[in-house]
Every structure is written in structure tokens, then in C-alpha cells.
Amino acid sequence: MNRYGFLTINSQPAVNGAKSEDPVVGWGPRNGYVYQKAFSLRFLQSQDYLNIAYYVINKRGDLRTNTHSDGPDAVTWGVFPGKEIVQPTIVELEAVSFMAWKDEAYELQVGQQWAKIYDADSPSQRLISELMDTSFLVNVVHNDFHDSEAILLQAGVSPPDDFSQMSSSPISSV
């Protein structure tokens, strides 16, 4: 997703039944299958573009969402021999995920720490500070894990012909 101009904090491609031994997206015990919904946590300059499940928040904490569920949304799960379904990654509004990510993204991990790399009042530091003050942190979950291109199409990006191979890349972080 970073290759297409999205400043992602975290993302993952849609996966529909990859073997747990897969060198890129596999995890867990051998002879299992893994599934995941396309997921993206990223900064955007605009908040009016999505019609899928999302949370949007700015640095001040002004929150918008189109989800009406208080419960968690599983974005990664696996099926393994002799085990119940394993669900290691969820997204929810509570402090466990999205609100905690907001604090990390704006203050700890991305915002303040990233800006400290540059000299005080340098163009780079000013750019990062402006980005943190004016951008929205957006969490998008596309619920159709069968469609690996849907999360880009919803954002108005036409995936290139080789996107299906690229979308199997490991989870990325900035």
C-alpha cells in the first residue's frame, strides 16, 4: 500500500486459505490454513472517501465511524488440525486497539519520535508536525477476504496487473 502513496502505520492483504507454511503470510502450526481480511491503518488528508467499515480520528480525538458494533472484528484467523479456530488479530474501538493505536501513531511511535529525528524547526520536522496536526488516522477493514484488490479499489486506486502477487507481501509498518 505504501507503493501507492498511502502512509500506512500497519496493513495486511486479504488472504483466503493460504497454507500455514506459506513463507509470506503463513503462521501457526503446520498443515493449517490462514485467512485474513484486508486491513489498513493509515494517515489521510481527507476523511470523506470510504463506504466500508472504518474508524477515522484526528489528533484531538474527534472520532467518526460507520460501524455500529461494539464488538471486535476479527481480521486474522487460522484453522489448524486438532485446534479450535485461532483469532490473533482483532480491530475494535476500545482501548485494546484503535484508540490505543491513535495515541501511538500521533504521539509515541510516529509523531513525536519521527519528528525528533530531524533538527528543530527544519523543513522535515515542520512537515511531520503539520502532517500530525492536519491528517486523519484511518482504520479500514474490508470484510471480503476473497477480494485482494477491494481495499485499494475502495480508496480510488486502480491496482496494477501484478497486485495479486504484491498483496501477499508481509504486514508492513512505517
Side-chain angles (χ1 to χ4, degrees):
M1 296 205 63
N2 291 337
R3 292 179 189 170
Y4 300 102
F6 295 105
L7 179 55
T8 61
I9 303 302
N10 196 347
S11 66
Q12 70 182 30
V15 174
N16 184 14
K19 294 288 286 177
S20 59
E21 298 89 348
D22 184 281
V24 176
V25 296
W27 56 273
R30 296 182 60 72
N31 299 317
Y33 294 90
V34 297
Y35 301 83
Q36 57 190 41
K37 296 174 185 176
F39 161 78
S40 173
L41 182 64
R42 59 188 180 233
F43 287 107
L44 291 178
Q45 293 292 312
S46 172
Q47 60 184 346
D48 298 322
Y49 80 103
L50 298 171
N51 63 2
I52 57 179
Y54 66 85
Y55 296 106
V56 177
I57 197 163
N58 62 15
K59 187 176 180 179
R60 292 186 313 267
D62 302 323
L63 174 70
R64 293 196 179 144
T65 182
N66 70 343
T67 183
H68 302 289
S69 171
D70 290 333
D73 188 358
V75 294
T76 305
W77 63 99
V79 179
F80 307 101
K83 296 186 179 288
E84 293 183 15
I85 292 176
V86 179
Q87 177 183 309
T89 309
I90 62 169
V91 174
E92 60 185 339
L93 182 59
E94 303 303 317
V96 169
S97 73
F98 186 66
M99 296 306 281
W101 297 339
K102 175 252 185 196
D103 292 339
E104 289 179 13
Y106 281 112
E107 300 301 327
L108 306 174
Q109 204 172 43
V110 177
Q112 289 183 348
Q113 296 303 317
W114 190 15
K116 286 180 183 177
I117 294 171
Y118 302 99
D119 293 332
D121 206 36
S122 68
S124 296
Q125 190 182 56
R126 285 193 307 269
L127 174 66
I128 293 166
S129 294
E130 181 180 338
L131 179 69
M132 294 298 109
D133 290 340
T134 62
S135 294
F136 294 88
L137 182 64
V138 179
N139 179 71
V140 177
V141 176
H142 196 283
N143 291 306
D144 185 357
F145 60 91
H146 298 103
D147 188 349
S148 63
E149 298 177 353
I151 199 163
L152 284 178
L153 294 172
Q154 284 297 145
V157 175
S158 298
D161 294 335
D162 63 347
F163 183 73
S164 60
Q165 289 84 28
M166 292 167 54
S167 68
S168 295
S169 63
I171 295 173
S172 66
S173 295
V174 171

